[in-house]
Structures are given as structure tokens and as C-alpha cells.
Amino acid sequence: PRKVGQLIADVKRAGMVLLPERGTGSHRIFKHLESEQIPGNGDDADRYQEGDVREALEKIRRWQQEREA
């Protein structure tokens, strides 16, 4: 599995912004078109986390393509 830090780097590259003091504990909430919560620190990401991030990144890509069309 990928590391949580890798998922965070992916969402930042896609333009998602960390919402300050919105997550609880080690959870972070990023925002672009919709919120995406990413728990954990440097631990291995769970499969569902990878899938959630992949879905969010795909929505951003589609949105950007629509804006360019």
C-alpha cells in the first residue's frame, strides 16, 4: 500500500487545500470541489483511502477538462 503522505502529496498537486483545524486527531480535511478526509500520518494507507483519493482526483480532472472545453 501507498503511504498516507503520498496520498496527501497527490491531493495537494491536484489543487486541494488543507482546511486548518477542521480534522480531528491525525485526520486532515482537504477541499477542492468537495471535502476529502485523510486520516493517519506516515502509516500505510488503507485500500478505501486510496480509492477515495483516486475518486476525488478523477472528479477534479473531469471538472478541469469541462472548464477548458
Side-chain angles (χ1 to χ4, degrees):
R2 299 177 68 211
K3 299 289 185 190
V4 170
Q6 293 170 307
L7 300 182
I8 291 170
D10 289 346
V11 297
K12 284 183 176 180
R13 263 193 307 278
M16 294 183 90
V17 178
L18 177 64
L19 299 178
E21 300 182 26
R22 293 289 301 273
T24 57
S26 63
H27 289 66
R28 297 165 200 82
I29 298 181
F30 290 85
K31 180 91 172 147
H32 190 274
L33 303 173
E34 58 187 48
S35 294
E36 181 63 44
Q37 180 171 300
I38 302 178
N41 291 318
D43 301 331
D44 290 343
D46 291 326
R47 286 185 185 269
Y48 80 89
Q49 293 169 315
E50 291 187 54
D52 289 349
V53 168
R54 192 171 22 259
E55 281 181 33
L57 294 176
E58 182 57 33
K59 285 180 185 178
I60 291 170
R61 279 195 271 294
R62 284 194 307 263
W63 176 78
Q64 289 171 336
Q65 289 172 349
E66 289 172 6
R67 289 188 64 203
E68 293 172 357

